Amino acid sequence: MRKSFLAILSLILVLGLLAACTNKEEAGQEDKKEKGGATTIRIVMKDDNSSNPVSEKYYDAIEKGLLEDENIKVNFELVDLPQGNYAEKLNLLLNSGDIPDMIYFQGGDQAMADQGLLEDLRPYIKESKYLKDIVHPFNEKRLENYPYLLWIKPLAPKVPVIRGDWFNKMETSKALMENPTVDNYYAFFKELVKKQPGGDKPKYAITVAGDIAEIDYMFDMAFGIDKTWLQKEDGSYEYARVSKQQKEKLEFYNKLYKEGLLDPQYLTKQWDTKEKAFFDGEAAIIPGTAGKVIDIYEGKMLQVSGEEASLVMLPPAKGEYQGFGATDVTKESRGIAVSANSENKELVFKILDYMASPEGQMIDRFGFEGDHYNVVDGKLQLTDKYYSEWFARFWEPADYTPATPVDETTPLLSETAEKSLQSAEEYYAEDNSFIIPEEYVANWDAMQNLYMEFTTDIITGKRPISDFDKFVKEWNEAGGEQITELANKNLR
């Protein structure tokens, strides 16, 4: 009896295992059927990779949305890049001959465009269903000059922010906000470090990531640098970085560095270590990209230091001019491109167009229900997780009204982030830069490297400011004379 029972039990187990395997195989075949009818689109994006569960969930949501809303079957394949400088790693990938269908560039795109490897997006935009209605005027100008990159975002200069509890303790705060001259900024910086409102912190007034580009947004126009090419009294143009205005600004930066107001380790800072110094209280002020980045900074600061630390945006320095710098309309400095060699160019653009639709915008702007928002009484209530981590991978049109309204108690952007975008619009001015022709690119790159090396040496005190004339001479000899002649032909 016992042997018979064991035999029957063994048979039941075997049959159960066979049934489970059959079901699993059938489920796998069903999955293959679903994937089988889909076109694989390879995509490389700076902040997304195949090992990130949020990235996987996000692109799965787009796949589902495309199928339900547009009857388009796609399967996204995220192309991973090694850790390190994104532009450099992307360049290595593309030069190896591995060119994804959809590519996010943050530099390095022009060499690919010059080889005919990027698709002209203008015909697609003209025939688009949604994109043509959200392109900003400055996007249109950039596309006419350089039709290979698309990046529909609000104007986003780097704007300086400081935690509110420190700002409110400063005696110089009022004067700075009412009249943000370079002298008043200097006094504010001095008081920040002297008072040390965080106990033994901040160690310095401001930090930036690696070079002076971020701090230039604050001070360039105050020193009279309102365009890339400055017009002199005789009507001719000179490059702003070799002007007397630049010399005066570098002298000011050297003073900040020498007195410990500018982070002495700014040269080695990356974006993450810059932000860490801010949230740890080592640096009082950091420049951040207007809009959503400021929102993320706000969310993180509130988590770390409480409600009193809510961020305050500081104004651009005021002098000969005031603003966060002129807007370059020659081309997008970053953005999404479509491979000219892709077999699925039309489909890739349909995806880009879908991300501008009401349904695509819901996915892109708000993230995942239950994580980044909840629907309560017919309105979207955004969560702390939304403010601290979510960002739109694709488009952020200026005039956006979501299909489901956002609850007034959890606005799409914080007050500080909204103010940063309004300030960008308020101080908008077009630049007069132009795309450097291919035959001058190598010289231009060498000249920019010379400029970076010299400015670093001046700011850190390795060379005296009196060496500025030597730098101008070296810059002209490296190709500056020819490009200045070209600028005067183009701008007159």
Side-chain angles (χ1 to χ4, degrees):
M1 288 287 292
R2 186 179 178 186
K3 287 181 180 179
S4 298
F5 175 76
L6 290 173
I8 293 169
L9 181 61
S10 298
L11 180 61
I12 291 170
L13 289 172
V14 168
L15 290 172
L17 286 170
L18 286 171
C21 290
T22 302
N23 290 338
K24 187 174 181 181
E25 186 177 342
E26 287 176 354
Q29 288 173 350
E30 196 63 35
D31 286 343
K32 285 179 182 177
K33 283 180 184 177
E34 291 178 12
K35 294 288 185 182
T39 304
T40 296
I41 299 298
R42 301 179 70 241
I43 177 172
V44 58
M45 294 285 271
K46 180 175 181 289
D47 296 303
D48 290 318
N49 58 72
S50 61
S51 61
N52 183 344
V54 175
S55 300
E56 288 290 312
K57 187 176 180 180
Y58 171 73
Y59 288 98
D60 285 347
I62 298 175
E63 288 176 8
K64 182 180 177 183
L66 282 163
L67 183 59
E68 292 179 352
D69 302 323
E70 301 290 338
N71 196 29
I72 295 174
K73 294 181 180 181
V74 298
N75 173 38
F76 287 110
E77 179 185 322
L78 291 175
V79 179
D80 296 337
L81 293 180
Q83 292 291 321
N85 183 285
Y86 176 79
E88 291 178 2
K89 301 303 180 185
L90 177 61
N91 186 54
L92 289 173
L93 174 78
L94 301 179
N95 283 329
S96 73
D98 186 357
I99 304 177
D101 302 288
M102 186 190 301
I103 311 161
Y104 170 78
F105 281 100
Q106 197 166 304
D109 53 278
Q110 192 167 341
M112 305 304 293
D114 290 342
Q115 296 176 58
L117 297 175
L118 303 183
E119 189 77 356
D120 184 338
L121 299 176
R122 290 173 298 182
Y124 297 90
I125 294 171
K126 185 177 180 181
E127 299 299 322
S128 65
K129 188 175 180 181
Y130 303 104
L131 269 170
K132 63 186 176 186
D133 295 327
I134 67 168
V135 174
H136 299 129
F138 56 86
N139 292 135
E140 292 177 352
K141 290 184 178 181
R142 290 169 177 171
L143 282 164
E144 283 306 308
N145 292 324
Y146 186 86
Y148 311 108
L149 284 190
L150 186 61
W151 196 236
I152 302 174
K153 300 277 185 176
L155 288 171
K158 300 282 187 177
V159 300
V161 290
I162 182 173
R163 47 189 291 179
D165 53 347
W166 290 7
F167 175 82
N168 293 328
K169 291 178 182 178
M170 298 294 100
E171 294 176 2
T172 52
S173 296
K174 187 173 184 292
L176 177 68
M177 299 304 277
E178 291 179 351
N179 189 25
T181 62
V182 172
D183 288 341
N184 281 348
Y185 252 112
Y186 175 69
F188 184 72
F189 286 174
K190 290 284 285 186
E191 187 188 5
L192 265 172
V193 172
K194 181 181 178 183
K195 278 204 167 183
Q196 296 185 341
D200 61 341
K201 299 175 181 179
K203 293 181 179 178
Y204 30 83
I206 186 168
T207 190
V208 291
D211 58 46
I212 62 172
E214 293 182 324
I215 198 171
D216 279 346
Y217 280 98
M218 295 172 63
F219 291 107
D220 259 355
M221 294 188 81
F223 282 93
I225 303 172
D226 67 326
K227 288 182 171 58
T228 297
W229 296 92
L230 303 180
Q231 192 166 26
K232 299 190 292 185
E233 291 182 2
D234 63 2
S236 65
Y237 291 88
E238 68 175 343
Y239 186 52
R241 301 310 182 198
V242 296
S243 65
K244 61 181 177 58
Q245 293 93 325
Q246 175 75 0
K247 181 179 180 181
E248 292 169 1
K249 186 191 69 177
L250 290 179
E251 196 166 10
F252 173 66
Y253 288 176
N254 171 250
K255 181 167 72 169
L256 297 181
Y257 184 88
K258 190 164 52 177
E259 296 182 15
L261 305 177
L262 172 61
D263 178 6
Q265 273 80 49
Y266 83 91
L267 282 169
T268 59
K269 285 283 197 292
Q270 301 292 327
W271 66 268
D272 54 344
T273 51
K274 175 193 83 168
E275 292 174 4
K276 185 177 187 302
F278 182 57
F279 296 122
D280 288 350
E282 292 183 4
I285 300 166
I286 59 169
T289 305
K292 185 58 188 178
V293 171
I294 298 300
D295 216 23
I296 292 173
Y297 286 178
E298 172 95 337
K300 286 183 179 178
M301 184 58 80
L302 293 177
Q303 286 180 354
V304 172
S305 302
E307 292 293 328
E308 290 185 356
S310 181
L311 299 183
V312 173
M313 193 202 89
L314 301 176
K318 181 181 179 182
E320 189 171 343
Y321 305 101
Q322 186 181 16
F324 290 114
T327 299
D328 184 358
V329 293
T330 56
K331 66 184 290 290
E332 301 290 352
S333 60
R334 64 179 68 193
I336 293 173
V338 177
S339 167
N341 294 332
S342 170
E343 296 179 356
N344 303 298
K345 290 181 287 191
E346 291 78 10
L347 178 55
V348 173
F349 192 83
K350 284 181 180 179
I351 295 167
L352 298 181
D353 196 30
Y354 174 71
M355 297 314 295
S357 72
E359 296 82 8
Q361 281 287 286
M362 275 297 298
I363 300 169
D364 201 29
R365 299 290 282 268
F366 295 105
F368 312 129
E369 185 174 1
D371 281 339
H372 304 104
Y373 69 90
N374 296 297
V375 180
V376 181
D377 296 330
K379 293 185 177 182
L380 302 177
Q381 284 191 355
L382 307 181
T383 66
D384 290 341
K385 202 171 182 182
Y386 168 84
Y387 290 113
S388 64
E389 73 174 31
W390 190 256
F391 63 96
R393 272 72 168 172
F394 289 89
W395 320 128
E396 293 181 81
D399 299 321
Y400 172 60
T401 303
T404 304
V406 179
D407 193 296
E408 297 82 359
T409 61
T410 60
L412 194 59
L413 289 175
S414 67
E415 184 179 344
T416 306
E418 190 63 48
K419 182 181 177 182
S420 70
L421 293 179
Q422 291 170 359
S423 294
E425 292 286 343
E426 177 187 350
Y427 292 110
Y428 176 77
E430 277 189 19
D431 200 2
N432 61 358
S433 56
F434 56 92
I435 295 176
I436 302 298
E438 177 64 28
E439 61 266 29
Y440 294 102
V441 167
N443 282 353
W444 182 252
D445 289 343
M447 290 153 58
Q448 295 308 304
N449 290 334
L450 183 65
Y451 162 74
M452 293 296 297
E453 181 183 348
F454 175 78
T455 53
T456 299
D457 287 347
I458 290 293
I459 293 168
T460 58
K462 291 181 180 178
R463 293 179 67 173
I465 193 67
S466 57
D467 276 1
F468 189 80
D469 291 342
K470 294 180 182 178
F471 157 67
V472 174
K473 184 174 182 293
E474 291 176 32
W475 188 86
N476 281 321
E477 290 173 350
E481 284 187 7
Q482 293 93 324
I483 292 183
T484 300
E485 288 178 10
L486 183 65
N488 277 278
K489 288 178 182 178
N490 285 345
L491 298 175
R492 285 186 171 179

